[in-house]
Amino acid sequence: MFELVKSGGIMMFPLILSSIIALAIIIERFLSLRVSKVVPSSDIERARKLAGINKLADVQVDELRNGSLLGRVLATGLESRELPRHIMKENVEEAGRHVVQELERYLPALGTIITIAPMMGLLGTVLGMIGVFSAINTAGVGNPQQMAGGISEALVTTVVGLLIAITTLVFERYFKAKVDGYVAIMEREALRLIEIANSSRKTLPSATSAPAPAVARPAASAPAASPARPAPAQAPLPRGGKPA
């Protein structure tokens, strides 16, 4: 093994370092992306039960939030259930974006290793070929077997770089598929929680639903009295004081 590393030249050291980093990330992602830490079924059932309770204690919500990544999203929805539906949905989506960033942590680093590992291997091969042809230019062709051995040693870095890139690519694709599956589960459960919270809120009696007091109508005014007819005028008395 040491001879293989030695034959690869100076570029074997960054290749070995990149392989160690890739291995550490792969182990860390395997431990972090377990179902029990991301989308446990117990947190799903707990969130559904809490959504039907009128008054929630802060301890219950904090316990759900600290349980898993899905619990963090659902706890945000429970805290916003008294708000309008569109605001509640926006808060849940914001929490989901932070959770997705945590799920995809270190995956860009794996992508970088996939890209640069073959390039570093090719660079090591080119440097080895330069050394071989420099030796040929100095000492002549000499022994063809020795020249072939030098070329084969120069190709070691290319093989190592391709092996690192291919292995890392397999795990990187696997982790991305796993993250996509978790995100789909979180979206489904978050929407279901929003619907449960809205339906529970509609069933609660509200003070605004009380019947409005009847407005007293003004009493009907009495019909207007018909104007009195004027009394007939009395005929004037004739002179002498006696009526005619």
Side-chain angles (χ1 to χ4, degrees):
M1 184 65 181
F2 179 75
E3 294 296 330
L4 180 65
V5 174
K6 184 178 179 181
S7 63
I10 191 174
M11 291 306 298
M12 286 296 294
F13 294 102
L15 286 172
I16 293 174
L17 178 61
S18 63
S19 65
I20 294 174
I21 295 174
L23 181 61
I25 294 175
I26 290 170
I27 295 174
E28 191 274 339
R29 288 292 87 190
F30 263 119
L31 297 176
S32 299
L33 296 180
R34 290 176 295 173
V35 176
S36 60
K37 295 193 66 175
V38 183
V39 287
S41 57
S42 59
D43 284 354
I44 296 175
E45 296 298 329
R46 185 188 306 170
R48 292 178 183 176
K49 292 179 182 179
L50 294 177
I53 300 176
N54 297 340
K55 294 183 179 180
L56 293 177
D58 294 338
V59 177
Q60 294 174 313
V61 179
D62 292 338
E63 184 179 358
L64 178 63
R65 179 184 290 107
N66 298 328
S68 63
L69 295 179
L70 174 62
R72 191 182 305 175
V73 177
L74 299 180
T76 302
L78 291 175
E79 290 177 339
S80 307
R81 65 176 186 162
E82 300 296 334
L83 302 176
R85 186 179 187 277
H86 67 281
I87 298 180
M88 179 181 179
K89 188 176 181 181
E90 290 177 359
N91 292 339
V92 171
E93 289 176 352
E94 181 66 23
R97 282 191 289 268
H98 292 292
V99 169
V100 170
Q101 288 180 355
E102 188 166 348
L103 289 174
E104 294 179 346
R105 185 175 56 180
Y106 303 136
L107 294 185
L110 289 181
T112 303
I113 293 174
I114 293 169
T115 303
I116 66 173
M119 295 183 179
M120 289 190 297
L122 182 61
L123 178 60
T125 298
V126 171
L127 293 177
M129 295 294 292
I130 291 174
V132 170
F133 285 108
S134 298
I136 292 174
N137 188 29
T138 303
V141 176
N143 190 357
Q145 293 181 352
Q146 184 179 1
M147 184 179 65
I151 295 174
S152 64
E153 291 177 359
L155 294 174
V156 169
T157 54
T158 299
V159 174
V160 174
L162 289 174
L163 286 175
I164 294 172
I166 293 171
T167 306
T168 308
L169 178 62
V170 172
F171 286 102
E172 193 250 0
R173 295 298 182 184
Y174 169 75
F175 291 138
K176 279 190 174 181
K178 204 167 187 178
V179 168
D180 292 340
Y182 286 151
V183 171
I185 295 174
M186 289 181 180
E187 290 178 353
R188 183 181 69 244
E189 295 302 328
L191 291 176
R192 188 171 299 176
L193 179 69
I194 292 174
E195 296 302 328
I196 293 174
N198 285 334
S199 61
S200 300
R201 183 169 53 188
K202 290 178 182 178
T203 56
L204 293 176
S206 58
T208 57
S209 60
V215 180
R217 295 182 179 179
S221 58
S226 57
R229 296 180 180 179
Q234 187 177 4
L237 295 176
R239 294 180 181 181
K242 294 181 180 180

